[in-house]
Amino acid sequence: MDFFQNNKFFRFGLPLVLLSVAGSFGIRELAQLRIEVREEKSRQMSMQEIENLTKMKRKPFSIDDEFKRLNEKIDINSYENKRIPRPGESTKDL
């Protein structure tokens, strides 16, 4: 028994190796569990959510209609240039 207590490998090395191996197995199991839980959550969808997704219809998108809608909101003929302060410049100087 005295041999095991005085030998540095059995005193320091063996516990380090065992802890490292056990830790890697433990982390692997926890990571696998985390992945399984995440996949299960993504698979679960209520019937109402499925019905809402199937009923949802998009209106047709036209870039011309979008351009006209934005042009009605913004008047590009009457605008005012506003100068912003440069870094280190105060707003009172403007």
Side-chain angles (χ1 to χ4, degrees), residues 82-94:
K82 293 184 179 179
R83 186 172 178 273
I84 59 170
R86 294 183 176 134
E89 194 176 52
S90 67
T91 56
K92 293 179 183 177
D93 297 338
L94 301 176

Side-chain angles (χ1 to χ4, degrees), residues 62-72:
S62 170
I63 193 73
D64 295 327
D65 295 337
E66 189 69 19
F67 179 71
K68 289 175 187 174
R69 187 183 67 80
L70 288 175
N71 270 341
E72 290 172 357

Side-chain angles (χ1 to χ4, degrees), residues 30-44:
L30 288 175
Q32 186 65 31
L33 178 66
R34 182 177 142 216
I35 290 170
E36 289 172 2
V37 167
R38 185 180 294 165
E39 287 176 354
E40 186 65 30
K41 280 184 181 179
S42 68
R43 276 192 233 130
Q44 290 177 349

